Amino acid sequence: MTAYIFRRMLLMIPTLLGILFVSFVVVQFAPGGPVERVIAQLTGADTGATSRISGSQSGDFGPRGPAGAAADAVSSKYRGAQGLDPDFIKSLEKQFGFDKPAHERFLLMVWNFARFDFGKSYFRDVSVLQLVKEKLPVSMSLGIWMTLLTYLISIPLGIRKAVADGSRFDVWTSAIIIVGFAIPGFLFAILLIILFAGGSFFDLFPLRGLFSDNWSELSWPARIADYFWHLVLPLLSMSLGAFATMTLLTKNSFLDEIRKQYVMTARAKGCSERQVLYGHVFRNAMLIVIAGFPGAFIHAFFSGALLIETIFSLDGLGLLGFESVLNRDYPVVFGTLYIFSLLGLVVNLISDLTYTWIDPRIDFETREV
């Protein structure tokens, strides 16, 4: 098993390099960029990015009289930059690292990422790791509780449906599950807001954040209650699809095991249905479900449901990534991509190791990676 783990870890290196390379190439051909964004803000209504430009730079742009034609020629590669001081444009390129060729920028990024140095955001003047740390509590809350809620409900329900396969209980619960799976999470979130968050009917749950404004003044029991009070609607919205998938997966796994020969043998020996179900079937049927827990958790943790975060004003990692792409904040885009990809690869390895922990008969050592 040690050799298998070592091979998998070595395989992570070219995988990460491939992910970064493809993403870097796509970005090179994507229209716009941080330089264009600053130019647009300087020449438009939004001046949010000008705070990072020193007064000596920002006070020296504009037409240069007789040299205006030369300035236009230098800055013409940037849309809307005609007439700006070419020295100012060059200072922007240097500030964002675009004064170097693409291959040098890529190699420098890989070297920095290998040392977990992700740099600073272009427009927030905060390190990428600090940004991730600030957004982590929201995504962690959604991911942990969504995964636990899904497993705690779906596994018992899936087992019950497998035991009662074909019964009225199985039919009507399957109908509810299928309908729930078909409803997009963000539409269900809007429905919950209309019904329970002051939309048109009841005003029972809050709409913003994870805490109330007076959270610091509350006692600890009241803080815990307030925290979960804010999580009710987002968790229900996010869990809908995962709940349906996990329930059907559990049911099908148990049905597959119940129909096998060893179950018939156990019943013939006089074992009760409870002994057959939990003494023989459970371990084998739950292999795929439990082994998939790390992957399900990391999926819920980082796929954080961008639309759900936006609807309920939850400032998490999903919203951070989306805004970074829109703003062409490349250090945040590539930094979060690297972190998520690395965690995903590690979790896949943990999932494989979980299989061997649950069922020692599975041996990846003798298989090719």
Side-chain angles (χ1 to χ4, degrees):
M1 184 57 64
T2 303
Y4 172 77
I5 295 174
F6 181 71
R7 292 199 305 268
R8 285 289 298 269
M9 293 180 67
L10 286 180
L11 189 61
M12 292 180 186
I13 298 175
T15 304
L16 286 172
L17 288 175
I19 292 172
L20 289 177
F21 177 75
V22 172
S23 303
F24 186 85
V25 171
V26 170
V27 165
Q28 303 311 303
F29 292 98
V35 176
E36 288 90 338
R37 181 172 182 266
V38 172
I39 292 172
Q41 290 173 331
L42 289 172
T43 57
D46 185 6
T47 58
T50 57
S51 60
R52 297 190 69 240
I53 304 171
S54 66
S56 60
Q57 290 175 329
S58 60
D60 190 36
F61 66 87
R64 301 182 62 194
D72 290 343
V74 173
S75 60
S76 60
K77 65 178 179 178
Y78 296 111
R79 187 176 182 180
Q82 287 79 6
L84 295 183
D85 188 345
D87 292 334
F88 171 71
I89 301 298
K90 290 180 180 179
S91 69
L92 284 179
E93 291 179 336
K94 184 175 181 180
Q95 177 179 335
F96 295 122
F98 289 98
D99 57 329
K100 301 181 179 65
H103 69 278
E104 290 187 15
R105 286 186 279 121
F106 177 74
L107 293 176
L108 179 62
M109 180 181 70
V110 171
W111 169 246
N112 289 334
F113 282 14
R115 297 179 291 121
F116 289 92
D117 178 9
F118 303 107
K120 298 176 67 175
S121 168
Y122 283 158
F123 304 110
R124 303 180 190 227
D125 203 26
V126 180
S127 69
V128 174
L129 287 178
Q130 181 63 31
L131 277 175
V132 172
K133 182 180 178 181
E134 291 175 0
K135 313 300 181 183
L136 201 57
V138 172
S139 296
M140 182 178 292
S141 296
L142 294 175
I144 290 176
W145 296 117
M146 172 187 164
T147 306
L148 290 178
L149 181 66
T150 300
Y151 270 73
L152 289 175
I153 295 177
S154 297
I155 291 178
L157 179 59
I159 296 175
R160 179 71 179 87
K161 285 174 63 62
V163 173
D165 183 42
S167 66
R168 295 179 62 182
F169 172 81
D170 180 45
V171 172
W172 70 261
T173 52
S174 294
I176 294 176
I177 289 172
I178 293 173
V179 171
F181 183 76
I183 299 176
F186 71 93
L187 286 182
F188 189 60
I190 296 174
L191 175 63
L192 292 177
I193 290 174
I194 294 174
L195 293 177
F196 302 112
S200 300
F201 296 90
F202 306 101
D203 189 7
L204 302 178
F205 297 98
L207 273 176
R208 299 180 59 86
L210 289 179
F211 309 103
S212 298
D213 294 335
N214 64 336
W215 190 80
S216 60
E217 303 172 2
L218 301 176
S219 62
W220 276 109
R223 290 183 181 183
I224 296 173
D226 181 76
Y227 168 71
F228 285 107
W229 181 48
H230 282 74
L231 279 176
V232 171
L233 298 188
L235 284 181
L236 288 177
S237 304
M238 291 181 61
S239 301
L240 197 61
F243 167 77
T245 303
M246 185 57 61
T247 301
L248 295 178
L249 176 63
T250 303
K251 176 191 173 182
N252 293 333
S253 297
F254 269 80
L255 280 178
D256 185 58
E257 292 296 324
I258 287 174
R259 294 165 180 166
K260 290 185 177 179
Q261 183 65 41
Y262 74 89
V263 176
M264 298 176 60
T265 303
R267 286 171 176 166
K269 290 182 177 180
C271 295
S272 65
E273 283 300 311
R274 185 177 182 84
Q275 289 176 324
V276 171
L277 186 63
Y278 294 101
H280 298 275
V281 175
F282 186 84
R283 178 177 178 179
N284 294 326
M286 290 303 294
L287 175 62
I288 189 172
V289 177
I290 296 177
F293 179 83
F297 171 71
I298 210 70
H299 174 75
F301 190 85
F302 290 116
S303 65
L306 167 64
L307 291 175
I308 300 299
E309 290 183 7
T310 304
I311 290 172
F312 292 102
S313 300
L314 299 172
D315 193 9
L317 292 173
L319 191 58
L320 171 65
F322 177 70
E323 291 178 345
S324 300
V325 171
L326 289 183
N327 295 328
R328 304 297 193 269
D329 198 346
Y330 294 148
V332 180
V333 172
F334 287 114
T336 52
L337 175 66
Y338 179 84
I339 294 172
F340 298 165
S341 299
L342 179 60
L343 286 175
L345 293 171
V346 171
V347 166
N348 284 335
L349 175 58
I350 293 175
S351 296
D352 287 347
L353 297 179
T354 305
Y355 278 107
T356 62
W357 175 64
I358 297 175
D359 190 350
R361 295 172 299 176
I362 298 176
D363 184 14
F364 290 106
E365 188 74 29
T366 58
R367 298 175 57 188
E368 295 293 333
V369 178

